[in-house]
Amino acid sequence: MYNVVAVSFGEIFLKGKNRGSFEHKLTEQIRYALKEYKDVSIYKELGKVFIQTKHIDDMDGIINKIKKVFGIVVISPSIKVEKDPEIIIEKAIELFRYLKEKQNIKTFKVNTKRGDKTFPVKSMDFSALAGEKILNAFPDVTVDVHNPDIEVMIDIKKNCYISSERITTVGGMPIGSCGKALLLLSGGIDSPVAGYMIAKRGVEISALYFHTYPFTSERANEKVKRLKEILEEYCGKIKLYSVNLLDVHKAIKEHCREEETTILARRFMMRIAERIAEENGLEMLITGESLGQVASQTMKSMIVIENSIEMPILKPVIGMDKTEIMDKAKEIGTYETSILPYDDCCSVFAPSHPLINPKLDSILISEGRLNVEELINKVYSTLEVI
């Protein structure tokens, strides 16, 4: 029955003279999401994007894909018809009959929007006319303008679009419209959620994964790759960097106190992440830190860790508790992968009694026992792009 999906924007409407660039980025993201579908055309008409397919059987798949595209707030499966009053009413009745066969409809309303003011009948008058014709065709239904069983929506633009369903989507801003950042992606629950939340605000993300192969397994690497793939359903293509941090952990173990391991290792992670970001035109870092959740996420720990770099860090889950983060992970589909029991480099080398209130002076003294630049260059040489 449906052959077009109408796409409604959210915040893009507020962008004034820059709106065109936002719409372009959104359209490109829709094309990427639908790359597996052939014979699909994407075009704009008076403030909306429309996706038309020659294959009706593809409609459900197309809808499921674009529901995850940031920047879209509502999608409506629609019938595209000529802008002729008689044809519009004929197709509206045809749609009503189709819906009535699938569900028990007792009440309805017609809602017309006349984007093209050259159309000869005003919106309210056309709604009344179409409603009268539907009543004549289906005497067992009545009009209810406040709480109808279904709403027949007629959107008159260059063409006319008839629909009955408004599907709410993820909203947000189009990917790439608000800059680029590097996500520190572990195999845990928090960091994929953090990446999702920042990408939803229009940030194009790349990701960095630290491992300590052979102490961390290939399965742990595959787990992170799978998390990247799930995020790509929302974020578009993500470049994944991989760095082996084993030599840093060996040096810390040999020269520093065990309880300082996590703080010192994360200072190295931040420096390496900053270097990758700067060399690849990424403006900020993203982490999945939640205040007080683990030893490295106390306020004092974060101050000491972040002292190692100058680049700003986005922390979208900082004020969320674990249950809230888990609920979001389940919603976006990363949770089941995140809980797979494969250790990451942080858990493999975690001290039995980590510092929760580190002092910067003490950490700098310990760090002075290490050849920081040499270690950074050594592990940086293991950098891979997946």
Side-chain angles (χ1 to χ4, degrees), residues 138-204:
F138 305 95
D140 59 330
V141 300
T142 57
V143 173
D144 183 346
V145 296
H146 299 295
N147 189 31
D149 293 334
I150 69 159
E151 180 178 359
V152 177
M153 293 169 282
I154 300 172
D155 192 6
I156 300 170
K157 298 183 180 296
K158 180 179 179 181
N159 296 283
C160 178
Y161 302 91
I162 308 171
S163 61
S164 65
E165 187 177 7
R166 291 171 56 85
I167 302 170
T168 303
T169 60
V170 292
M173 298 285 287
I175 293 295
S177 61
C178 293
K180 300 178 181 181
L182 180 64
L183 168 67
L184 276 69
L185 180 63
S186 71
I189 297 170
D190 305 341
S191 57
V193 172
Y196 168 91
M197 292 176 69
I198 293 300
K200 185 177 179 180
R201 298 309 307 151
V203 176
E204 180 182 330

Side-chain angles (χ1 to χ4, degrees), residues 23 28 59 70 110 120 128 142 174 184 234 271 284:
E23 289 180 350
E28 290 304 304
M59 285 294 291
F70 295 134
V110 178
T142 57
L184 276 69
Y234 302 93
R271 291 180 175 114
M284 302 182 79

Side-chain angles (χ1 to χ4, degrees), residues 52-95:
Q52 185 167 346
T53 176
K54 295 179 181 178
H55 307 290
I56 304 302
D57 292 342
D58 287 343
M59 285 294 291
D60 288 343
I62 289 171
I63 289 169
N64 287 332
K65 289 287 187 182
I66 64 171
K67 279 167 67 174
K68 297 180 178 180
V69 174
F70 295 134
I72 299 172
V73 292
V74 173
I75 54 178
S76 298
S78 306
I79 305 169
K80 178 181 177 181
V81 300
E82 296 177 41
K83 199 168 52 182
D84 177 283
E86 291 186 7
I87 295 176
I88 294 170
I89 291 173
E90 176 187 334
K91 290 297 181 181
I93 292 172
E94 186 178 325
L95 173 61

